[in-house]
Structure formats: C-alpha cells, structure tokens
Amino acid sequence: QVHVVESGGGLVQAGDSLRLSCAASGRAFTFKGYAMGWFRQAPGKEREFVAAITSSGGTTYYADSVKGRFTISRDSTKNTVYLQMHSLKPEDTAVYYCAVDSLSSRLTAGGGDYWGQGTQVTVSS
C-alpha cells in the first residue's frame, strides 16, 4: 500500500506562483517504479487531469489548460513530486490531488492506484 500526502496549497492572487508537493511512502513502495500525477477538482465539476510524469522522470504530460504555466517534476531522493504553478488564474481554483500508478498512461486517462487527500488552491482575481 502507498500513502500519499499533498501540501503547499493556499490562497494567492491571479498572476502569482505556487508550488505543490506530494510525498509518497509505504512499506515495499519503490518510488522510482511508479508514475506520478496531479489532478484537480472544482466544486460541482468532475476531477480533471493536470499533469503526470513517468517513473523515470523522462517524460511529462500536461493538460492544455496548464501547459506552459505548470511544471511537474520529481525528486527520487525525497520520494516527492512537485507541481510548480505560475501565472495562476481564478479558474485554477480547485482541490488538487496527487495520484500514484504503475503506468503513466493510466494517470493521463484519469486513473490512479493511490490518491492523496488533496490540498486547496484558491486564486483570487
């Protein structure tokens, strides 16, 4: 089993930057063997794919809505994945979730084997 914890959310103004962190852990969990991803869900809306990164960190995927503004990265030493967000917009407001899966293709398709509790990001205009 994998325990996933997100952090770094908060209240910011439009145009500001924010970095989210996702720490994954668990007995027998091998961080380097899993793809990681970020999703978000606004009130009354379906969960939306945001970004994903392969287990090796060699390939990244982004939703069109965040491409060019958000960057996903991973640090194997810290077993942590980051989502660096720039030029934030009010429409970015949502609860952001971190997901873990053995296949990056499942993450980009909206799936995930393990999920965190989410961290709130609020962007004011």
Side-chain angles (χ1 to χ4, degrees):
Q1 301 298 317
V2 180
H3 184 56
V4 183
V5 179
E6 305 98 331
S7 62
L11 173 63
V12 298
Q13 294 185 344
D16 284 354
S17 298
L18 198 63
R19 188 183 72 169
L20 305 182
S21 299
C22 172
S25 63
R27 187 174 295 277
F29 173 67
T30 304
F31 182 77
K32 295 181 179 180
Y34 288 83
M36 307 286 288
W38 287 96
F39 296 79
R40 65 187 182 185
Q41 186 169 24
K45 305 192 71 174
E46 294 185 346
R47 186 178 62 203
E48 174 190 18
F49 169 78
V50 175
I53 186 167
T54 56
S55 59
S56 67
T59 305
T60 57
Y61 306 89
Y62 297 95
D64 289 341
S65 60
V66 306
K67 193 172 299 182
R69 298 188 298 121
F70 292 8
T71 301
I72 186 171
S73 62
R74 63 190 297 159
D75 186 337
S76 296
T77 301
K78 300 179 179 179
N79 283 9
T80 300
V81 171
Y82 303 96
L83 184 67
Q84 181 65 58
M85 305 182 291
H86 295 294
S87 302
L88 284 164
K89 306 173 181 179
E91 50 262 46
D92 293 320
T93 296
V95 176
Y96 283 70
Y97 297 92
C98 180
V100 180
D101 205 295
S102 59
L103 297 174
S104 60
S105 60
R106 292 177 180 173
L107 293 173
T108 58
D113 287 338
Y114 307 98
W115 296 82
Q117 81 292 335
T119 184
Q120 177 71 47
V121 173
T122 302
V123 184
S124 63
S125 60

